[in-house]
Amino acid sequence: MAKTFNVTGACNPARHYMVDLESRLKEIKKMVDAGDYFSINRARQYGKTTILRALAKYLENDYVVLSLDFQKMSTADFASETDFVKGLAREVYRIIRRMPAIPDETVREIKRMAGVEAAEGSDRAFILGDLFFCFSDWCEFSDKPVVLIIDEVDTASNNQVFLDFLAQLRAYYLDRDTMPTFQSVILAGLYDIRNLKRKIRPDSEHKQNSPWNIAAKFRMDMSFSCDEIAGMIEQYEADHHTGMNINEISELIYGYTSGYPFLVSDLCKIMDEDLADNGQYTDRTRIWTKDGLMEAVKLLLNESNALFQSLTGKVKDYPMLRTTLYELLFTGKQVQYNELNEYIEIAAMFGFVKNVNGSAVISNRIFETVLYNWFISEEFMDSKMYDVGVQEKNKFVVGGHLNVRLVLERFIESFDYLYGDQDETFLEDVGRRYFMLYLKPIINGVGNCYVEARTRNRERTDLVIDYRGEQFIIELKIWRGNAYNQRGEDQLADYLDYFHLKKGYMLSFCFNKNKKMGIKEIALGDKTLIEAVV
């Protein structure tokens, strides 16, 4: 069977191209060997189930691994304590009946609690204490230490039953020196065991109490590194012989995704399966290039997948999260990355932001573009600037190439006409947004744009436009005088070197009454700068 790139469910190395998990498994096993109780919480589609399945197999020589998935339990299983015990015992029995060397008494007791096959005593109303007593006996008489893994632990539908389960799990774990119990407990899901309090009865006193305070910190970076992406692509290249530049493609994929597992795999899947249907790409040799990747990025951004729907859904659910993200994207405000800040914690938990040198930044270019597009789409109906972009969009593409100089010229005229009487306070908040509103209908469906996080601040932002395989860098800045402007020109020249470009653009918003509005061309060494002042 030919391997594929997988974006649905767990990955299997026999059927899917995937990164080498060996180093991650070694690090997690160290925590298991130490007897840690910890949670693996990452955003949606971050490879949690894949790593758990690989971990269960990796541990099997040294441990008995009970690996459960709470998604396999129904809403009815959480209706009461007895229902929960019966449902959980059913899932445990389904697994251990196929496992060797499980004590016979453990199998019989679990079978009774599960109520299967009319086992003797199966009509009794069992409680959590019975279940954990059985677990303790199992751990005492097992030939190997027992490790408990629970995936999708935060899908529990009855809050109090779930809290009681966590409390019992905690109590047995804390008493493990005197009462046999699991060697290690691993809980996985979107919510960390410490921030499940945000999902469960947020107004009650248990938000900070005992069930939440024993988990060891899981510090592993589960995103893919550039080298790991290259290793996955090497597997593909060995099968298909495209002649691609593996290092270049892996660096580009990492640049757009920052190693977010789903996004990495989806871009590769689009190139492998979808671009072949595009008349522009007749074979894999042309697909696995920079042009092919940028086309895949465009197709990915046009998807309405579950991950993007989840991102925008969370913004709707948390108004302050929306405010934080809006400020990061449009105002250039520096936001300190502090997990004690509830909304930074929420943004990090859902995968929106990451910590870069103590500041919160959007996690990757793909998410940033999705959020930009979503925020801007909310303003389409009421935006005069967007309307102008719609009316003029056919003027700017000649022979398939975007004329960015003309875009700037027309934006200057339109902005001055609509907002020329505004002051600098107005500009601080909306200048960038208005340019993106104007640009959006011009490149929509063919190109995309994103803001380079390393240069985003209140005074300077570098906007990168991808259009039909070409990239354009536009520095958006607020005019602070000639000396400051000179520094901006030098910075842009350095940034053009990073992108291997010879031409760049600068859009300066100036409210000096003696300003000279318009466009001029400046030579900066071997580079050309098109500077527009509005």
Side-chain angles (χ1 to χ4, degrees), residues 423-442:
D423 61 16
E424 188 171 349
T425 303
F426 164 84
L427 177 65
E428 291 279 2
D429 290 333
V430 302
R432 296 176 178 90
R433 189 174 86 248
Y434 276 26
F435 180 70
M436 295 186 74
L437 279 164
Y438 181 77
L439 180 65
K440 181 63 179 174
I442 296 171

Side-chain angles (χ1 to χ4, degrees), residues 18-62:
M18 54 186 292
V19 303
D20 186 354
L21 300 176
E22 179 75 16
S23 61
R24 289 175 172 80
L25 297 174
K26 283 183 179 179
E27 289 303 309
I28 299 175
K29 186 175 185 296
K30 290 179 183 178
M31 298 183 73
V32 173
D33 293 341
D36 285 340
Y37 177 120
F38 59 98
S39 61
I40 300 177
N41 72 295
R42 293 295 183 272
R44 283 178 60 93
Q45 296 176 293
Y46 219 97
K48 299 183 291 294
T49 299
T50 296
I51 197 75
L52 289 180
R53 291 190 180 182
L55 178 65
K57 187 172 182 60
Y58 191 77
L59 295 175
E60 62 185 10
N61 289 334
D62 300 313

Side-chain angles (χ1 to χ4, degrees), residues 170-181:
R170 174 189 188 275
Y172 272 80
Y173 180 79
L174 291 178
D175 289 342
R176 63 191 182 280
D177 290 338
T178 58
M179 181 173 295
T181 191

Side-chain angles (χ1 to χ4, degrees), residues 405-455:
R405 176 173 182 146
L406 184 58
V407 171
L408 294 177
E409 288 177 353
R410 292 296 300 136
F411 174 77
I412 289 174
E413 296 174 13
S414 300
F415 188 90
D416 185 63
Y417 174 75
L418 293 171
Y419 309 111
D421 58 346
Q422 301 293 331
D423 61 16
E424 188 171 349
T425 303
F426 164 84
L427 177 65
E428 291 279 2
D429 290 333
V430 302
R432 296 176 178 90
R433 189 174 86 248
Y434 276 26
F435 180 70
M436 295 186 74
L437 279 164
Y438 181 77
L439 180 65
K440 181 63 179 174
I442 296 171
I443 65 172
N444 191 35
V446 178
N448 292 293
C449 64
Y450 63 89
V451 170
E452 176 54 50
R454 290 171 298 177
T455 64

